[in-house]
Amino acid sequence: MRYYHILALGLFSLFSSCRMYEDMPCGDQYVSTAITKETQDLHQLLRSSEHGWLLTLVPGTGQYGGLNLSLKFTSDNEVSIFSEESQTPATSSYHFSQNGGIRLTFDTFNEVLHQYSNPQWGLPVAYDGDFDFTVLRVSDDKRTITLRGGHTHGNMYMTRIDEDSKGYFTKITESQLTLKGKALAPIQLGGKEVSISIFGYARQLWVRYDKEQKLLPFAFTDKGLRLLTPFTLGSDSLTTLELNADKTAVSLQGGKQTASLYKGTYDLTEQYTTFSYEGEQTAGSDALALFRQVNETQQSDVYAGTFGNEVYFGRFNAFMPKVSLYFRLPGWLDDTWGNYNMDFTAIYGQPKQFHTTRIIQQDISWLFGHRAYDWYLQSLTSHSPYSIEAIDGDTEHVRISSVASPSTYWMRGNIPVGYAN
């Protein structure tokens, strides 16, 4: 009897084991098989777009707005990328992998994409951008792929481009050229009057209502711009600004409102001025005291040096606007100009006023002088907006003064002139 029970138990175990394996996935049901099939489908989908894909990259937490990139997937491992800032294509490789979901990684250096994530001297996180993404979903119509940044963890979107990508990006560039540095005629949202100015390089809307001020990140489009997150007041939402046919106004709220574009007398996205801190005849007491303190800070720094008295302010070459200080660092760095990218915009109804904001440092001098330099930049932006006024009896200079502190925070500047290409 004992042997009978042992045999029965063995047959039952064998039968159960067989049933267990019968219930296991097979063929396309295997997880590894399903993943392989899914990546194959993604390869096919990416390559199926004749004109490529539009990726709106959102570095950091949106402080740089959304940056548009064109991605053309030419094979199962090669991609060609250009952007609204760099329209010379760069080719590199990419691959899919499985790590907490299907991941799309651009794994060899691409100067167009990786400039937003690669560390730089004095700037360890660069723009704090992504080059590695988790694929979250593909829309039913196969026109939109939702991605999550591996570093920022923010959601971003790749959308199919339906026309020649160069021509499409030309339209995006035209939107930027038209809108940068402009203000809008006041609009109504949620029963409040709202003032808006456009930082076209920082890709931020400067929004004011009541006593509130906000910077809202956006991305340029072929029709104008769209906010990365809709701005809501009461029952009204602001999502897009779309240019009219002659590009003198924008429509918003689905065409419910129209606001004309406004340009100030001085546009420091296209002009520049220089001012100096040589004494009481060239700067107000607070501005002069601050610049002296900035120099003392640099003189006592690990990298001891000084700043020259002259400052360039605005756009003075073919790149984006900036503030530049002459930097002397004996034994470390040849005399050079330290540059920091800035942006400027108009204020509706105030033709001689402008507002400024910071974007990002540009060069190696930031490594050596960032403590003093940062202090100076904080002062410049915290005292904005500014007014530019003529000086009686002086045909070569203007007075650039803080609207909030015109008697103590001002600089004598050259009359703004346009940059040369």
Side-chain angles (χ1 to χ4, degrees):
M1 291 292 294
R2 177 184 300 177
Y3 294 109
Y4 171 80
H5 287 298
I6 292 173
L7 178 61
L9 181 61
L11 289 173
F12 177 78
S13 299
L14 178 61
F15 176 76
S16 299
S17 176
C18 291
R19 286 297 304 273
M20 178 179 69
Y21 282 101
E22 285 177 2
D23 293 337
M24 286 290 287
C26 61
D28 289 347
Q29 295 178 353
Y30 273 109
V31 174
S32 60
T33 303
I35 291 171
T36 300
K37 177 66 165 57
E38 199 165 351
T39 58
Q40 289 173 346
D41 290 344
L42 283 168
H43 277 300
Q44 184 177 0
L45 176 62
L46 292 179
R47 296 186 61 186
S48 70
S49 179
E50 177 186 358
H51 303 293
W53 298 81
L54 172 72
L55 169 63
T56 302
L57 186 73
V58 184
T61 56
Q63 65 266 37
Y64 309 108
L67 299 153
N68 293 307
L69 283 72
S70 167
L71 286 71
K72 175 68 173 175
F73 295 87
T74 55
S75 74
D76 283 350
N77 62 6
E78 191 170 78
V79 61
S80 177
I81 306 176
F82 67 87
S83 75
E84 60 184 280
E85 291 190 330
S86 177
Q87 296 199 19
T88 300
T91 299
S92 58
S93 63
Y94 73 96
H95 73 271
F96 287 106
S97 62
Q98 172 65 22
N99 183 7
I102 293 180
R103 299 180 76 94
L104 169 62
T105 303
F106 298 90
D107 51 9
T108 57
F109 181 74
N110 186 297
E111 61 188 36
V112 176
L113 173 64
H114 288 90
Q115 65 174 306
Y116 302 113
S117 58
N118 270 22
Q120 304 170 30
W121 281 105
L123 193 69
V125 295
Y127 281 85
D128 205 25
D130 286 294
F131 60 89
D132 173 66
F133 306 87
T134 299
V135 179
L136 297 183
R137 69 186 67 89
V138 177
S139 64
D140 292 340
D141 60 5
K142 310 297 184 185
R143 296 185 55 81
T144 302
I145 302 172
T146 304
L147 307 172
R148 182 175 61 232
H151 171 65
T152 63
H153 304 293
N155 284 4
M156 296 168 232
Y157 303 92
M158 280 202 306
T159 55
R160 187 184 292 265
I161 300 175
D162 291 327
E163 58 187 273
D164 175 70
S165 56
K166 285 289 187 180
Y168 185 74
F169 269 69
T170 295
K171 295 176 186 177
I172 292 175
T173 299
E174 290 172 351
S175 293
Q176 182 187 27
L177 291 174
T178 302
L179 294 170
K180 67 180 177 63
K182 302 295 196 305
L184 305 186
I187 64 171
Q188 293 290 322
L189 286 177
K192 299 180 183 293
E193 183 175 275
V194 179
S195 298
I196 298 176
S197 298
I198 302 170
F199 283 120
Y201 290 99
R203 294 171 177 79
Q204 304 272 356
L205 292 188
W206 179 39
V207 175
R208 293 95 67 204
Y209 59 95
D210 295 340
K211 295 184 179 180
E212 298 287 331
Q213 296 190 46
K214 297 179 183 294
L215 287 175
L216 307 177
F218 68 80
F220 286 108
T221 70
D222 59 326
K223 296 180 176 64
L225 64 83
R226 65 173 178 83
L227 292 172
L228 299 186
T229 302
F231 172 63
T232 301
L233 274 179
S235 60
D236 294 331
S237 290
L238 177 63
T239 304
T240 62
L241 301 179
E242 294 195 358
L243 287 159
N244 64 358
D246 63 4
K247 299 184 178 180
T248 60
V250 294
S251 64
L252 52 150
Q253 286 191 289
K256 294 179 182 178
Q257 291 193 64
T258 300
S260 59
L261 296 175
Y262 180 83
K263 181 178 180 178
T265 302
Y266 302 103
D267 180 5
L268 295 182
T269 69
E270 294 293 339
Q271 296 173 285
Y272 73 93
T273 182
T274 59
F275 45 82
S276 61
Y277 296 88
E278 295 177 354
E280 295 179 357
Q281 300 301 313
T282 61
S285 57
D286 287 352
L288 194 59
L290 172 105
F291 197 75
R292 287 170 177 164
Q293 185 60 51
V294 165
N295 256 314
E296 290 175 7
T297 299
Q298 189 61 45
Q299 289 167 11
S300 62
D301 197 270
V302 173
Y303 305 106
T306 59
F307 293 106
N309 292 328
E310 190 175 39
V311 177
Y312 277 72
F313 206 49
R315 188 177 178 198
F316 51 90
N317 57 30
F319 303 103
M320 67 177 60
K322 64 192 71 169
V323 58
S324 295
L325 285 78
Y326 195 62
F327 193 42
R328 301 185 180 98
L329 194 68
W332 290 95
L333 192 69
D334 292 337
D335 291 357
T336 187
W337 288 97
N339 299 308
Y340 196 99
N341 293 335
M342 305 284 287
D343 203 359
F344 302 88
T345 191
I347 300 171
Y348 187 83
Q350 300 292 337
K352 296 182 180 180
Q353 290 186 16
F354 67 89
H355 188 44
T356 186
T357 191
R358 296 169 62 169
I359 303 179
I360 197 170
Q361 72 87 22
Q362 187 182 354
D363 52 33
I364 194 173
S365 62
W366 183 255
L367 172 66
F368 298 99
H370 66 274
R371 285 203 306 129
Y373 208 162
D374 189 64
W375 193 3
Y376 178 64
L377 291 166
Q378 286 186 33
S379 176
L380 281 182
T381 53
S382 67
H383 284 85
S384 187
Y386 293 93
S387 178
I388 300 180
E389 303 287 346
I391 300 174
D392 289 342
D394 189 340
T395 59
E396 296 181 359
H397 300 97
V398 291
R399 181 184 173 105
I400 305 171
S401 57
S402 168
V403 172
S405 308
S407 62
T408 62
Y409 203 95
W410 60 270
M411 292 78 69
R412 188 184 71 180
N414 293 327
I415 294 175
V417 296
Y419 73 93
N421 281 307

